[in-house]
């Protein structure tokens, strides 16, 4: 009998990695989506400079989550890759276009920047939408026989996954707008305040729509919600209070609170998703324990990753500390 449940430890590690990616890469994806809508090229310089020192480090968490998932739950890949191949391809293509835009935009002349501006925008938009659609596909479940996917290549793309994709786009835009409030000043900050107010309403509306659609469109989740009603009511209640707190902080022109409140909204959404889907790795049939690799494989990989995580955390904290404070137009590309 095992004294330690390695599968549970790996669930926590991968969940932490995915959540850190969503929070930390979410705001710079949001900045990319908002990129074309600001008034002038000088503001776009400031927007890109605000995320340039941290964007590539933020994506380390995606690599950690993906590599950990392959090592600890290889059977998930047998379903997820054929089921979500197109969605994952769009996600990676979007991230590639965005990364290229970071490097080449500042090397181009003023007149030659427009292709990289659009590459930054479309890369961010496609990557964000694909992430939300993949989450929606996970919620609606997969057609499997054993651990073999037997559905079609576009089964992941449904009206529900389109809504979750658009919902994550709106959420990332709110993260990006509140990040700009924190990191900029003057006209650009005023613009970010105005945009953030509209996005709060959009995000809360999507939160309600997706929650109702999830409950009434997926019977296995509705049954789980009924069984855990004494706990789950906490999350929408907290979301309402945090939304009001966020709205109030925007009206009072606070700088750090809107970003913090938006992150808390993501925490609540992530926790609600976890409780709704637990313990299924491949819904609606297979649990994480069904999909787990052997204990020896999990232990061997765990020893290595426990050294890596503190290094990533230390590097991340150091980077954000070094590049703290406001970003101004006369500051160059970091």
């Amino acid at each position: 009998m095992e004294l330690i449940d390695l599968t549970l430890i790996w669930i926590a590690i991968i969940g932490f990695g995915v959540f850190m990616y969503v929070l930390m890469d979410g705001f710079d994806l949001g900045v990319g989506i908002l990129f074309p809508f600001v008034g002038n090229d000088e503001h776009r310089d400031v927007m890109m400079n605000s995320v340039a020192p941290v964007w590539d480090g933020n994506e380390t968490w995606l690599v950690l989550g993906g590599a950990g998932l392959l090592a600890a739950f290889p059977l998930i890949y047998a379903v997820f890759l054929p089921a979500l191949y197109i969605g994952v391809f769009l996600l990676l293509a979007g991230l590639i276009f965005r990364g290229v835009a970071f490097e080449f935009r500042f090397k181009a002349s003023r007149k030659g920047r427009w292709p990289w501006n659009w590459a930054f925008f479309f890369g961010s938009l496609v990557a964000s939408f694909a992430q939300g659609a993949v989450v929606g596909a996970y919620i609606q479940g997969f057609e499997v026989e054993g651990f073999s996917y037997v559905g079609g290549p576009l089964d992941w793309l449904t009206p529900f996954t389109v809504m979750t994709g658009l919902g994550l786009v709106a959420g990332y835009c709110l993260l990006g707008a509140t990040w700009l409030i924190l990191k900029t000043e003057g006209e650009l900050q005023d613009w970010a305040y105005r945009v953030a107010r509209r996005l709060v309403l959009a995000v809360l509306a999507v939160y309600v729509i997706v929650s109702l659609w999830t409950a009434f469109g997926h019977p296995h989740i509705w049954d789980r919600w009924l069984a855990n009603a004494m706990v789950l009511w906490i999350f929408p209640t907290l979301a309402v209070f945090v939304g009001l707190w966020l709205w109030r902080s925007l009206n009072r022109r606070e700088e750090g609170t809107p970003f913090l409140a938006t992150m808390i909204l993501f925490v609540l959404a992530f926790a609600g998703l976890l409780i709704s889907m637990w313990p299924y790795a491949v819904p609606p049939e297979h649990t994480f324990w069904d999909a787990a690799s052997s204990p020896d494989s999990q232990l061997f990989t765990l020893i290595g990753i426990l050294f890596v995580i503190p290094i990533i955390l230390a590097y991340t904290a150091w980077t954000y500390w070094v590049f703290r404070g406001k970003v101004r137009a006369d500051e160059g590309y970091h």
Side-chain angles (χ1 to χ4, degrees), residues 204-285:
L204 292 177
V206 169
Y207 189 95
V208 172
I209 293 170
V210 171
S211 296
L212 294 175
W213 200 335
T214 299
F216 294 109
H218 305 90
H220 62 286
I221 296 179
W222 175 247
D223 293 340
R224 183 163 185 82
W225 282 18
L226 289 178
N228 296 274
M230 295 300 293
V231 175
L232 284 174
W233 70 269
I234 297 173
F235 295 99
T237 303
L238 288 176
V240 170
F241 280 106
V242 174
L244 292 174
W245 179 40
L246 172 56
W247 183 264
R248 180 171 178 269
S249 68
L250 291 171
N251 287 333
R252 298 179 63 175
R253 295 186 63 86
E254 298 176 16
E255 294 191 340
T257 303
F259 187 61
L260 175 61
T262 305
M263 289 195 293
I264 294 174
L265 284 177
F266 271 82
V267 171
L268 294 172
F270 190 81
L273 174 64
L274 180 63
I275 293 175
S276 299
M277 304 304 297
W278 182 263
Y280 294 102
V282 183
E285 296 181 13

Side-chain angles (χ1 to χ4, degrees), residues 16 20 30 43 60 80 83 85 104 115 123 147 153 161 166 215 232 241 251 259 281 296-297 322 333:
F16 176 71
M20 289 295 289
H43 288 164
T60 304
F80 278 33
Y85 181 82
F104 282 90
F147 266 96
T161 62
L166 295 176
L232 284 174
F241 280 106
N251 287 333
F259 187 61
D296 290 340
S297 297
V322 169
Y333 174 67

Side-chain angles (χ1 to χ4, degrees), residues 6-7 10 13-14 63-77 291-305:
L6 293 175
T7 298
W10 270 107
I13 290 173
I14 294 172
V63 177
L64 176 70
L69 189 66
L70 177 60
F73 304 100
L75 292 180
I76 292 179
Y77 272 73
S293 59
S294 69
D296 290 340
S297 297
Q298 287 184 334
L299 180 60
F300 177 79
T301 315
L302 180 63
I303 294 171
I305 208 164

Side-chain angles (χ1 to χ4, degrees), residues 167-232:
L168 193 62
V169 168
Y172 281 173
C173 285
L174 181 58
L175 269 177
T178 54
W179 171 258
L180 291 174
I181 289 171
L182 179 66
K183 297 293 289 184
T184 65
E185 54 191 5
E187 292 181 4
L188 181 55
Q189 188 187 58
D190 293 338
W191 177 85
Y193 274 115
R194 293 193 299 272
V195 170
R197 290 189 188 94
R198 300 188 187 102
L199 288 170
V200 171
L201 301 176
V203 168
L204 292 177
V206 169
Y207 189 95
V208 172
I209 293 170
V210 171
S211 296
L212 294 175
W213 200 335
T214 299
F216 294 109
H218 305 90
H220 62 286
I221 296 179
W222 175 247
D223 293 340
R224 183 163 185 82
W225 282 18
L226 289 178
N228 296 274
M230 295 300 293
V231 175
L232 284 174

